[in-house]
Amino acid sequence: MSRPFAPAWRRADPHARDLLPGPRFEPAPASRPLPTPVVSALYDLQRTKAGRTGVERLAAGAPAVVTGQQLGFATGPLLTLAKAWSAVSWARHLSTHLGSFVVPVFWLQTEDHDLDEVRWVGARDPAGRPIRITVPGDGRIRCSVGARLLPEGAADAVDRLLGPGPEPEAADRVRRACAPGRAWVDAFADLIQAAVPELVLLDPRAPAVQAAVRPVYAAALERHRHWTEVLKARARSVEGAGFRVQVPVRPETLCFFHPDGPEGPRYRLRPEGADTFRAAGDPGATRWSLPVLQDRLDRPGAFSTSALLRTLTQDTLLRVAAVVVGPSELAYWAQVEPLHTDLGLKMPSVVLRDRVQVLEPRDRSRLERWGLQPDDVCESPTLLVDRLLARDGHGVQALRAQLSERLRAQVSDALAEFDPAGADLSGPQGVLLEQLDRNVARFTEKVSRMRTRAESDAARTVQHLRWALFPEGVPQERHCGWAWYAARHGAARFDRALADAVVSTEPRPDGPMRSVNL
């Protein structure tokens, strides 16, 4: 039975490390400098002075720590910020380790076309229940998010996301960034770089970047059959080591094709014959010859990457010292090493991003009161309530019977040792026992009411902690977004708390859990 790759890699399982070695932190050797048009495109994209300084360092040959994520609405779930700060942490660490500036780069996933995955962000309603705030779709299919604008419904979604009485700074930041009609990529870029100013943002859909990585797209077309066999062999190795193959090997090319230009839908190319391809899923079923596709390579935006091909484009464009990834991404990095070898690229060191968990004051109080750790909250709610109440299995009725039995026995034992000089005490004894039974009944009724209140209190505590730490049954960082916390606690305060949690200690390749205390 296959198992997930990331947990095994995290604990240095030799089968996992054979497929993807632990980090060595040596940047790719310097090659040609970044083309001037790429430098200009990067510089124009930055919102902060620190970002523009980072571009200047990249232009001078500085290595990079690269991470990236889909462009979620209002930055999407909190894991996006965890990735960004993890990249900053590693860049600072490696700057000292390597003795030169290392630049944190955030690869904006503008090429992705799955709108349903990015048009929502998690929050909680006034009662604490997890909810999803969703932006309306625009009816376009298979179009890269980099070509999309925020719809009119974005303003309503922002209002629901911020909730009642949001902190003014956070509200202003989100409303300006996510105004209807703004480019989706601009909204995301504004928010992510305001929260993490050191990041250098990189848009792979920029024409200058597309031109710089043209050789990768050419190889994806010309070496398609060879790459497919190489990936199939690697998949067999992954499965042979007992792991799931994260990205199934497809018959289509690793690149996507945009037959109607960069703003149109994108399709994978399925080979038909020696040098002919068909756009898989294209209702027109148009066929394209390899020479025609090669001519299209000179049109910016005619091609875009898949998950596996993105690894090759970033390592072609930049001197990558390390890549910061999530658990699923780690698994597909284990698949791409043969492609790096085929293109003569050096595999960068790959590390897991830090995981984060936000603990608000009320949640910390609940945990402390009941003596819980955050991980305890992922238990079954019923079992956790039972554990909190330390049930002994007897119940209130058993307690009543046990008390009555013991008190009656004590009365009988005491009277047996007492000499009443022949007096008959059976009548008074009966009255006493009746009074004891009534008192025991009243006592156990109070115990029962207390127990019911305690059980209800414990159940409410467990429910609220699950809403806070495991909303919808997933880790908090995969649901709740930066904007919701910033609106409640202030953008500057939340940014500082998140940064302190991730960069306050030396980074670790296994992606430890970091508590963000507010």
Side-chain angles (χ1 to χ4, degrees):
M1 186 176 182
S2 60
R3 53 188 172 134
F5 182 79
W9 189 90
R10 181 180 279 124
R11 62 176 182 267
D13 182 316
H15 295 94
R17 293 299 176 94
D18 284 344
L19 292 165
L20 185 64
R24 294 186 178 88
F25 302 126
E26 297 175 357
S31 56
R32 62 184 178 86
L34 279 177
T36 300
V38 172
V39 174
S40 298
L42 290 177
Y43 198 86
D44 291 343
L45 182 60
Q46 310 314 308
R47 272 75 170 158
T48 64
K49 181 179 178 180
R52 291 187 288 273
T53 299
V55 173
E56 293 167 359
R57 289 171 176 163
L58 290 174
V65 171
V66 182
T67 193
Q69 185 63 25
Q70 294 166 301
L71 309 191
F73 175 62
T75 74
L78 199 56
L79 65 87
T80 301
L81 271 295
K83 272 187 172 180
W85 279 116
S86 294
V88 170
S89 181
W90 277 108
R92 292 181 185 178
H93 172 72
L94 292 179
S95 292
T96 300
H97 177 74
L98 299 174
S100 63
F101 285 115
V102 178
V103 180
V105 174
F106 195 96
W107 190 280
L108 301 168
Q109 294 284 57
T110 53
E111 298 176 312
D112 187 70
H113 65 262
D114 194 340
L115 184 62
D116 287 341
E117 284 193 354
V118 299
R119 67 188 182 100
W120 70 275
V121 64
R124 289 161 65 189
D125 69 13
R129 291 182 293 265
I131 56 175
R132 290 190 177 206
I133 308 299
T134 303
V135 176
D138 58 9
R140 301 164 68 198
I141 60 170
R142 305 190 68 87
C143 294
S144 296
V145 71
R148 295 181 185 272
L149 305 179
L150 286 165
E152 285 300 321
D156 291 337
V158 166
D159 288 340
R160 285 182 282 122
L161 174 60
L162 297 175
E167 287 286 336
E169 180 191 358
D172 181 60
R173 193 189 294 185
V174 176
R175 287 197 172 102
R176 280 190 290 106
C178 299
R182 294 203 76 214
W184 196 286
V185 62
D186 286 337
F188 183 93
D190 285 355
L191 292 175
I192 192 78
Q193 204 171 40
V196 191
E198 290 178 53
L199 289 179
V200 168
L201 306 181
L202 190 153
D203 180 3
R205 296 298 285 158
V209 176
Q210 290 271 299
V213 298
R214 182 189 185 283
V216 179
Y217 291 118
L221 293 172
E222 296 158 8
R223 306 187 198 182
H224 166 64
R225 287 179 172 79
H226 171 62
W227 279 10
T228 299
E229 294 307 312
V230 166
L231 287 173
K232 284 180 178 178
R234 186 66 165 188
R236 289 192 292 270
S237 297
V238 171
E239 291 174 333
F243 301 112
R244 290 197 293 268
V245 175
Q246 184 67 26
V247 180
V249 181
R250 300 169 178 267
E252 299 91 1
T253 59
L254 291 183
C255 59
F256 282 90
F257 177 50
H258 299 245
D260 299 326
E263 296 192 358
R266 68 181 197 152
Y267 304 95
R268 288 181 184 266
L269 292 167
R270 182 186 294 269
E272 292 188 354
D275 64 350
T276 303
F277 294 83
R278 177 172 58 84
D282 180 2
T286 307
R287 286 166 174 76
W288 305 83
S289 69
L290 180 58
V292 169
L293 292 171
Q294 288 170 326
D295 287 341
R296 289 290 188 105
L297 287 170
D298 294 322
R299 299 186 187 183
F303 292 87
S304 56
T305 66
S306 60
L308 296 182
L309 195 64
R310 181 174 65 84
T311 66
L312 304 178
T313 57
Q314 70 185 35
D315 291 339
T316 297
L317 188 67
L318 302 169
R319 290 184 66 206
V320 182
V323 180
V324 177
V325 301
S328 296
E329 293 168 289
L330 185 80
Y332 68 68
W333 272 92
Q335 295 180 240
V336 299
E337 188 274 336
L339 300 186
H340 277 70
T341 300
D342 192 72
L343 282 181
L345 297 172
K346 180 182 180 295
M347 273 282 287
S349 293
V350 183
V351 297
L352 282 165
R353 66 166 176 83
D354 283 4
R355 293 163 288 162
V356 295
Q357 193 168 61
V358 179
L359 296 177
E360 298 183 279
R362 181 174 293 183
D363 298 327
R364 285 203 308 276
S365 297
R366 286 169 172 150
L367 292 169
E368 291 168 1
R369 176 189 171 192
W370 292 94
L372 292 172
Q373 296 298 319
D375 284 349
D376 295 332
V377 181
C378 65
E379 286 186 26
S380 157
T382 302
L383 293 178
L384 185 55
V385 169
D386 285 351
R387 181 154 73 86
L388 294 183
L389 294 173
R391 294 190 173 191
D392 58 10
H394 295 296
V396 174
Q397 293 304 316
L399 174 65
R400 177 175 179 175
Q402 190 176 51
L403 285 174
S404 294
E405 182 180 349
R406 290 185 179 182
L407 290 172
R408 282 174 171 271
Q410 288 180 351
V411 168
S412 297
D413 291 346
L415 289 178
E417 297 175 1
F418 178 69
D419 182 5
D424 182 7
L425 297 180
S426 59
Q429 181 181 355
V431 173
L432 174 62
L433 293 176
E434 288 177 2
Q435 290 175 338
L436 286 174
D437 286 343
R438 286 196 295 271
N439 287 335
V440 166
R442 284 196 292 270
F443 174 77
T444 52
E445 285 173 4
K446 290 182 179 179
V447 170
S448 179
R449 288 195 295 272
M450 292 173 63
R451 181 59 174 273
T452 299
R453 286 196 298 271
E455 188 167 348
S456 177
D457 189 19
R460 282 196 301 271
T461 295
V462 168
Q463 182 63 79
H464 279 280
L465 286 173
R466 287 184 65 82
W467 285 344
L469 303 181
F470 290 89
E472 298 186 353
V474 300
Q476 175 196 72
E477 64 176 5
R478 294 188 172 276
H479 182 269
C480 288
W482 168 89
W484 186 79
Y485 289 108
R488 286 166 58 84
H489 301 282
R493 180 186 174 196
F494 185 68
D495 290 343
R496 186 167 54 251
L498 188 56
D500 288 346
V502 177
V503 303
S504 60
T505 58
E506 185 173 312
R508 285 171 26 196
D510 60 344
M513 176 66 77
R514 309 291 192 186
S515 291
V516 181
N517 292 307
L518 295 174

